[in-house]
Amino acid sequence: PSPKRIDYILADIGILAETGAEDIKILLENYDYIKRNNLGMQEIYQFLSDYYENTGSKKSSDIKAIEMRMRRAISKALSNLAMQGMENYDNEQLLRYANILFEYKEVRKEMDFLKGRTKERGKVNVKKFLEGFMLLLNE
């Protein structure tokens, strides 16, 4: 996948500048390897940890830190989409990304949370997010 296209989508969902966005980019650029080896989420986090150690990156290679960075970035994307949906239900980004990157009910839940209707935020599924992102890159 083209790094430019990855950046474009990350920017479109409002998380290009998030620290976890770098983790997401590295995973997407290595997605063929991940898919071919059928890696589970823990193995994916381990892959990133090894990647950072092998490249001498200044980023923390602690698996928990990696998972939290990614979850925070993806949660922010969910929140951004939910906000756009609250302002305009026919919002292009919402229609384009909500059901591909997230489960639609989780986007609804996040909207209700942002409106103060509920105490529960929408949940993030990292694997669905990554798989959906790859779908977007391959269209």
Side-chain angles (χ1 to χ4, degrees), residues 1 20-21 23 44 47 76 78 84 87 89 94 117 121 126:
D23 302 314
I44 286 173
F47 170 84
K76 182 152 185 345
L78 175 63
Q84 290 172 340
E87 288 171 20
Y89 209 70
L94 178 73
R117 291 185 187 154
R121 298 197 86 124
V126 177

Side-chain angles (χ1 to χ4, degrees), residues 50-97:
D50 296 344
Y51 177 91
Y52 290 132
E53 283 174 15
N54 294 337
T55 56
S57 170
K58 301 239 184 306
K59 274 204 182 246
S60 170
S61 59
D62 177 66
I63 290 178
K64 269 286 167 224
I66 291 169
E67 183 178 358
M68 290 314 297
R69 276 196 312 259
M70 283 181 61
R71 284 196 170 279
R72 255 193 309 275
I74 296 169
S75 292
K76 182 152 185 345
L78 175 63
S79 186
N80 290 343
L81 285 174
M83 279 209 221
Q84 290 172 340
M86 285 166 39
E87 288 171 20
N88 173 6
Y89 209 70
D90 294 327
N91 181 288
E92 204 176 304
Q93 271 98 342
L94 178 73
L95 297 173
R96 179 154 175 70
Y97 300 121

